[in-house]
Amino acid sequence: MEDILSYTIGDKKYEVSVKDCPPFDYGKDVRLSRADTDIVYTQPWYDEGHTSAGFLSEEEFASLKQGLTQSVAGIIRNELGLDVPADFSLERYHDVVTSREDHFKVVGKTRDLFAEDFNFPVKEVLPKFEKILGFSLTDINPEDGKELHIIVRINRPGSSDYNPPHKDVYERVDEAGYIPPFVNLWIPIAGVTENSSLPIAPGSHKLTEDKVLRTHNGAVVEGNKYRVRMIREWGGSSHLERAKVDYGEVLFFSGHLIHGLAVNAEPDTTRVALEFRLFKKD
């Protein structure tokens, strides 16, 4: 197997090391995204697999960002014992958290938060999401009855702080033969530009699995181990496009849509976004 894989994001080429990565294999001639498995199947944007929509006013977004800034600053103090400047901003996170080891300690906490950990009233904004999608939603996983976590994704400039290209449904598909029926939500908070936004592969959710070359037991990229299943190519392509989503908006996308490799190509700005999933409420 090649140790270096190439992808394009927009008009830029990126190469990543996959040394020691599990093997890549094609699947069967079956389509996982169907009317009975993908809750966005009836959406007018289903063919693309994603859409963005406004849901916060300027004041509401400012409150969310302030609460998140305070939460991250608190994690830095508690986990690293560092003095965080009074004017700390998420965009300048990398000026405060300067080592890879310290960053991993911080994101070990920010990957496992709930809405009450910062100023994000999920229960209050659920009706807005429901109005956009046209059906009731819940943050309770029907498989185990547990409340879903919210991930604060922090990508430092020029770093490998990203997941490889993947589909979020694959982990449970491989482990239990179960296709979890959720929609992904991605909310830009800081440093999100055309050089740092989430890369997605529009339409990739409609491919049959015999067109997708992927791992079936995690991944190793740039020496980092991941639980997600890495996708090498899909339909003969390895091309992604940066999602277009503004502050105060949410990006909805199918749990079957290929996304990832969110390289932060901004030279001196940390990128921060919220990621979580919602299920259709019975």
Side-chain angles (χ1 to χ4, degrees):
M1 185 184 77
E2 296 176 59
D3 284 346
I4 302 294
L5 297 184
S6 296
Y7 297 88
T8 54
I9 304 175
D11 61 356
K12 296 178 180 177
K13 180 179 178 180
Y14 294 91
E15 293 186 336
V16 296
S17 168
V18 291
K19 189 177 185 299
D20 299 323
C21 192
F24 293 83
D25 297 296
Y26 289 102
K28 298 179 180 179
D29 183 11
V30 61
R31 178 167 154 177
L32 297 182
S33 173
R34 308 182 302 266
D36 62 328
T37 60
D38 195 338
I39 66 172
V40 306
Y41 189 84
T42 59
Q43 295 296 312
W45 44 268
Y46 173 74
D47 282 347
E48 288 294 301
H50 67 95
T51 193
S52 58
F55 79 105
L56 292 176
S57 67
E58 288 187 17
E59 293 77 14
E60 289 170 329
F61 175 76
S63 176
L64 169 59
K65 185 176 181 180
Q66 180 184 27
L68 193 54
T69 301
Q70 293 171 350
S71 178
V72 172
I75 290 171
I76 293 171
R77 292 189 192 97
N78 294 335
E79 295 302 312
L80 306 181
L82 296 178
D83 290 328
V84 180
D87 61 350
F88 170 75
S89 71
L90 296 173
E91 291 87 349
R92 307 310 306 168
Y93 166 91
H94 58 286
D95 290 338
V96 178
V97 181
T98 57
S99 74
R100 188 168 179 261
E101 292 73 22
D102 281 351
H103 174 67
F104 285 161
K105 291 178 183 177
V106 172
V107 298
K109 295 295 183 180
T110 64
R111 290 191 185 118
D112 194 24
L113 297 177
F114 293 98
E116 55 267 25
D117 292 319
F118 52 95
N119 231 5
F120 186 50
V122 171
K123 299 294 191 294
E124 293 178 25
V125 299
L126 267 182
K128 295 185 179 183
F129 299 150
E130 292 172 337
K131 184 176 181 181
I132 293 169
L133 295 178
F135 51 77
S136 297
L137 296 161
T138 178
D139 60 352
I140 302 300
N141 187 340
E143 189 180 13
D144 57 17
K146 294 181 180 179
E147 182 181 359
L148 292 173
H149 297 164
I150 296 175
I151 297 174
V152 180
R153 189 73 69 185
I154 303 175
N155 292 58
R156 297 166 298 161
S159 71
S160 58
D161 302 339
Y162 52 77
N163 279 321
H166 65 283
K167 291 185 184 183
D168 286 340
V169 298
Y170 276 154
E171 192 171 338
R172 294 304 294 144
V173 168
D174 290 345
E175 292 174 348
Y178 171 69
I179 304 176
F182 58 77
V183 59
N184 281 311
L185 293 87
W186 192 87
I187 300 171
I189 300 297
V192 177
T193 71
E194 61 183 7
N195 296 317
S196 64
S197 186
L198 180 68
I200 56 176
S204 59
H205 58 306
K206 298 191 296 180
L207 290 170
T208 53
E209 291 303 301
D210 59 341
K211 303 293 193 302
V212 180
L213 183 59
R214 69 175 182 94
T215 66
H216 290 75
N217 185 26
V220 178
V221 181
E222 298 295 331
N224 299 323
K225 292 185 177 181
Y226 298 89
R227 289 174 58 185
V228 299
R229 280 53 173 159
M230 182 178 187
I231 304 175
R232 178 172 177 172
E233 64 176 41
W234 47 94
S237 172
S238 56
H239 179 73
L240 300 144
E241 294 287 344
R242 299 275 188 183
K244 295 179 173 60
V245 54
D246 294 325
Y247 298 122
E249 292 185 340
V250 55
L251 173 72
F252 294 100
F253 63 97
S254 167
H256 299 256
L257 191 74
I258 296 171
H259 63 287
L261 198 68
V263 177
N264 180 359
E266 288 295 332
D268 193 33
T269 304
T270 291
R271 191 213 77 180
V272 179
L274 295 182
E275 300 177 11
F276 58 102
R277 303 166 182 174
L278 294 173
F279 291 85
K280 191 173 185 177
K281 192 173 183 179
D282 294 332

